[in-house]
Amino acid sequence: GVAHPPGYPLYTFLVHFFMKGPFDTPALAASFFSILCGLGAVYCAYRIFLLLGINTLLSALGAFFVGLGQTFWNQMIVPE
């Protein structure tokens, strides 16, 4: 079989249904879905920081810096 990153089949499955929405092109729909997934990842990072006992302000700041990471954006904005 063809090697793929873990979770990619689920991502592809969800993007397929997301493309049936009111978007002009499939690429726009896939990019928008990737951005929503990225926002979800930043929110999860925030919640994890809170679970670790870090106060709210520092948790928000940490999640903000996770969202600013170059690797994070490189992987998020390029749907394959």
Side-chain angles (χ1 to χ4, degrees), residues 6-19:
Y8 194 73
L10 177 62
Y11 172 81
T12 304
F13 179 74
L14 293 174
V15 166
H16 172 74
F17 290 108
F18 200 77
M19 285 183 184

Side-chain angles (χ1 to χ4, degrees), residues 44-56 59:
C44 286
Y46 170 72
R47 297 295 299 172
I48 289 170
F49 292 146
L50 287 176
L51 288 173
L52 290 173
I54 301 171
N55 71 27
T56 306
S59 295

Side-chain angles (χ1 to χ4, degrees), residues 24-74:
D24 292 337
T25 63
L28 180 63
S31 295
F32 188 72
F33 184 75
S34 290
I35 290 170
L36 288 178
C37 289
L39 289 173
V42 169
Y43 177 73
C44 286
Y46 170 72
R47 297 295 299 172
I48 289 170
F49 292 146
L50 287 176
L51 288 173
L52 290 173
I54 301 171
N55 71 27
T56 306
L57 180 61
L58 289 178
S59 295
L61 189 62
F64 177 74
F65 284 120
V66 166
L68 287 180
Q70 181 179 3
T71 304
F72 181 80
W73 276 95
N74 286 342

